[in-house]
Amino acid sequence: MNVTPGAPSVPMRVLHNEARDAMLIGYTDGDPLREVIRFEMDPRRDLEVNLEEVFEVFNEPGPQLVGLEVVRRYRAERHRSLSKGDVLFYGEVAYAVAAAGFVRVYPTRESITFR
C-alpha cells in the first residue's frame, strides 16, 4: 500500500459486487461490479500478503494502517467494508473475496462500472 516513489508498483483496483446475493454466495460470473478505488501496491511482496492487506485495511484497519491516504479516501467516500464476492484486480488478474481467502475469477469488462 505504501509504495516508495520510484519503486516498482502494480495497480490494485477494488470492485464492490452489486449482486443482491453476493455476500451470501460469493462471486458468480456476470455479477455487476463497481470500481470504488484504485492505488498502487508493491509487487515484490507476496501476492497473498498484498491481497490480505487490502482486505484488512478496507474492513477494520488497525492503528498502523488507518492513517494511510488510500484508507482515508475510501472512508471519506463512505464505502462499505469489503465482503465475500467483492473483487480485487491485481494488475490485470482478478481475485474474488471468498469465505476463506481469495479465488481467481474472470469478470468481463461489460460487468464492470469504472470510476
Side-chain angles (χ1 to χ4, degrees):
M1 303 224 108
N2 281 335
V3 178
T4 307
S9 66
V10 63
M12 174 69 77
R13 297 183 308 148
V14 176
L15 294 86
H16 284 172
N17 190 325
E18 296 187 320
R20 267 186 298 177
D21 55 358
M23 290 183 198
L24 297 173
I25 64 171
Y27 175 83
T28 303
D29 287 339
D31 280 354
L33 303 170
R34 182 176 48 88
E35 182 178 303
V36 293
I37 197 161
R38 61 174 62 195
F39 50 93
E40 298 295 314
M41 297 288 295
D42 186 340
R44 297 170 295 187
R45 296 174 58 203
D46 181 73
L47 170 64
E48 189 74 19
V49 169
N50 276 338
L51 295 175
E52 289 289 345
E53 182 180 47
V54 171
F55 183 80
E56 177 186 352
V57 301
F58 296 130
N59 277 287
E60 293 299 324
Q64 76 280 11
L65 300 173
V66 77
L68 294 175
E69 174 59 28
V70 69
V71 175
R72 286 195 303 266
R73 255 187 329 168
Y74 189 83
R75 294 291 174 214
E77 293 176 10
R78 304 188 54 79
H79 295 300
R80 64 167 171 76
S81 295
L82 287 186
S83 298
K84 185 164 90 172
D86 290 337
V87 174
L88 306 176
F89 266 91
Y90 185 77
E92 296 300 317
V93 183
Y95 298 89
V97 177
F102 304 88
V103 61
R104 176 85 194 270
V105 294
Y106 303 88
T108 63
R109 186 170 182 80
E110 295 77 30
S111 68
I112 301 171
T113 302
F114 293 92
R115 287 180 64 85

